[in-house]
């Protein structure tokens, strides 16, 4: 479904270069469920950003559902992202001027959904994540874990086939973390591909494959739950 | 050292009120080490913000090292915060335009330190948190866990007597989380008061008291490690 071949990413700042990814080659099959783990700075978010078409590799190939992503222009890439991918950012990236409902609904606006249907969809997702009574509030009026749940709800609005989640339970308590993982597991059982970054072993235990990063490279992959 | 008496906090948004704290009374002794736990939205960050003098209660009393905080004006409160408290925010609150070094150094600038000494202090702290080779980079050039460590380093710059940390290990891997907790434990052994929010039981296990929040109130307190 998503195939990386010898992908490198180098960040350049003035004279300094930081090699965030060093020749990563991984194949993510349709319907698979991955946990990506590794020390801070080992390239997990960089990997997810490339998989999510939010950034481009410095070198290497990325095939996404048959398309060679490197050959696509930015507009096509944005369209691809909007239609097929759901992304939960490590820092949430909610729009502070928009309410909970408007944040969740944003992908649908860009997909051209009718306002009635997109409000319905946003409220359904808000309820799913225990936010039904907060839909009119702005991100600054929410707790850290509440913001995280808004970010997850937004990532699911377009019913993506691939869900990329960067530490989706980093800011929530264990009970809520378990509930989020039940929802994510349910989505996987319905056929969606899940690639999530986590540093929590009990969260990683929901995945069927675990990919360990170290210094920008794949250290090893484990199968099994 | 820090004493809360029947502290309430109500957030008002238009017609709606959210009671974030409901009559919280707790005494934090000098040199104590607390973990504050509880479900998402139970009032943990609100409690920390009040303890850290970043927000004022709606009602109730807060005594900090003998001072009645409610009787202090904003300038005196800012000075108190700068001199006595170190705060690690759940969302880091780094200044994007400043480098790692400049972010860490910011409290010292306000305390009037000489530039030579404040650079030395900032670099010492950067090294302590494995950031020595990144001091010239900006927050957007860092991973989530690296940003978190900058936030922790900044909170320690002024050598505060009370350290308030909101999920200080939420974005780092287990090994780095253990290293952060060793540093925090070491600070506690040197006499500092630690009040940290965490949802991770293995992080909470470093504390000697654990305060459980639920729906804005103290549910119970456990002693012992
Ligand atoms: N600035 C604010 N304006 C309005 N409501 C707020 C504000 N900050 C927090 N709240 C609300 O007050 C309640 C308590 O929030 P708080 O951030 O203290 O919870 P928390 O225990 O830290 O949660 P989490 O574990 O999700 O970080 C929540 O319902 C939250 O939405
Ligand atoms: N936009 C950027 N500009 C420059 N360097 C970056 C950028 N993003 C990440 N880096 C660097 O690339 C390396 C990998 O970063 P990445 O964010 O992928 O790590 P990570 O594994 O997600 O870490 P964490 O667990 O701390 O979130 C780090 O050294 C980081 O500082
Ligand atoms: Mg990351
Ligand atoms: Mg919080």
């Amino acid at each position: 479904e998503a195939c990386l071949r010898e992908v490198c990413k180098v960040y350049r700042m003035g004279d300094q270069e930081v090699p965030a990814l060093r020749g990563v080659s991984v194949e993510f099959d349709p319907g698979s469920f991955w946990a990506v783990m590794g020390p801070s700075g080992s390239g997990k978010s960089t990997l997810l950003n490339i998989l999510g078409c939010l950034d481009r590799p410095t070198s290497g190939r990325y095939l996404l559902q048959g398309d060679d992503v490197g050959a696509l222009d930015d507009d096509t890439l944005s369209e691809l992202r909007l239609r097929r991918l759901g992304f939960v950012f490590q820092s949430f990236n909610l729009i502070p001027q928009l309410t909970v409902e408007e944040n969740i609904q944003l992908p649908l606006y860009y997909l051209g959904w009718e306002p009635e249907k997109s409000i319905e969809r946003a409220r359904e997702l808000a309820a799913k994540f225990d936010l039904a009574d907060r839909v009119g509030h702005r991100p600054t009026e929410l707790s850290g874990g509440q913001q995280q749940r808004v970010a997850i709800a937004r990532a699911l609005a377009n019913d993506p086939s691939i869900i990329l989640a960067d530490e989706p339970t980093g800011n929530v308590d264990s009970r809520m973390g378990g509930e989020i993982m039940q929802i994510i597991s349910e989505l996987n059982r319905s056929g969606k591909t899940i690639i999530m970054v986590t540093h929590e072993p009990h969260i990683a235990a929901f995945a069927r494959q675990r990919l360990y990063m170290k210094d920008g490279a794949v250290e090893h992959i484990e199968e099994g739950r």
Side-chain angles (χ1 to χ4, degrees), chain A:
Chain A
E1 164 127 86
C3 182
L4 298 173
R5 292 180 186 164
E6 287 295 321
V7 167
C8 293
K9 178 69 186 181
V10 181
Y11 292 106
R12 292 185 174 92
M13 295 146 288
D15 294 347
Q16 201 168 7
E17 289 191 346
V18 174
L21 293 180
R22 304 168 191 257
V24 171
S25 297
V26 188
E27 200 149 333
F28 301 92
D29 294 335
S32 51
F33 191 159
W34 294 74
V36 181
M37 305 180 80
S40 182
S42 58
K44 302 179 302 292
S45 294
T46 302
L47 176 72
L48 231 65
N49 287 341
I50 293 198
L51 285 167
C53 305
L54 295 166
D55 201 358
R56 290 185 187 267
T58 308
S59 63
R61 296 240 348 254
Y62 177 23
L63 300 175
L64 177 60
Q65 293 170 342
D67 290 319
D68 180 348
V69 172
L72 303 179
D73 62 54
D74 288 346
D75 286 345
T76 306
L77 214 55
S78 289
E79 179 78 11
L80 183 159
R81 204 165 49 235
L82 196 56
R83 288 193 180 278
R84 308 190 207 171
L85 308 180
F87 205 109
V88 186
F89 294 86
Q90 196 171 9
S91 54
F92 317 149
N93 285 23
L94 300 177
I95 314 291
Q97 298 88 351
L98 301 184
T99 63
V100 165
E101 189 175 87
E102 292 163 339
N103 266 290
I104 293 173
Q105 214 180 323
L106 198 60
L108 308 180
Y109 166 81
Y110 288 113
L111 281 168
W113 279 40
E114 292 185 13
E116 264 188 16
K117 289 188 181 289
S118 87
I119 286 168
E120 182 185 336
R121 176 67 171 160
R123 285 180 181 171
E124 168 195 333
L125 284 166
K128 192 168 193 137
F129 289 98
D130 222 15
L131 293 161
D133 59 340
R134 308 302 298 273
V135 294
H137 294 167
R138 290 185 166 68
T140 54
E141 298 163 327
L142 302 176
S143 78
Q146 289 165 341
Q147 290 180 46
Q148 191 159 46
R149 286 160 18 231
V150 176
I152 296 167
R154 180 184 62 184
L156 302 181
N158 60 340
D159 195 31
S161 50
I162 303 173
I163 297 161
L164 301 148
D166 202 341
E167 302 274 8
T169 60
N171 276 280
V172 292
D173 60 281
S174 299
R175 190 184 66 83
M176 181 58 65
E179 292 188 11
I180 288 168
M181 291 316 299
Q182 291 299 338
I183 293 170
I184 289 179
S185 295
E186 186 178 313
L187 289 164
N188 176 248
R189 283 191 297 273
S190 80
K192 299 188 188 298
T193 305
I194 313 289
I195 305 171
M196 84 182 165
V197 170
T198 183
H199 71 265
E200 301 178 81
H202 69 286
I203 297 294
F206 281 85
R208 285 194 301 285
Q209 280 106 350
R210 274 167 299 280
L211 188 160
Y212 291 83
M213 303 281 306
K214 187 168 178 192
D215 296 325
V218 175
E219 191 180 33
H220 71 272
I221 291 176
E222 283 175 5
E223 305 267 345
R225 181 183 276 147

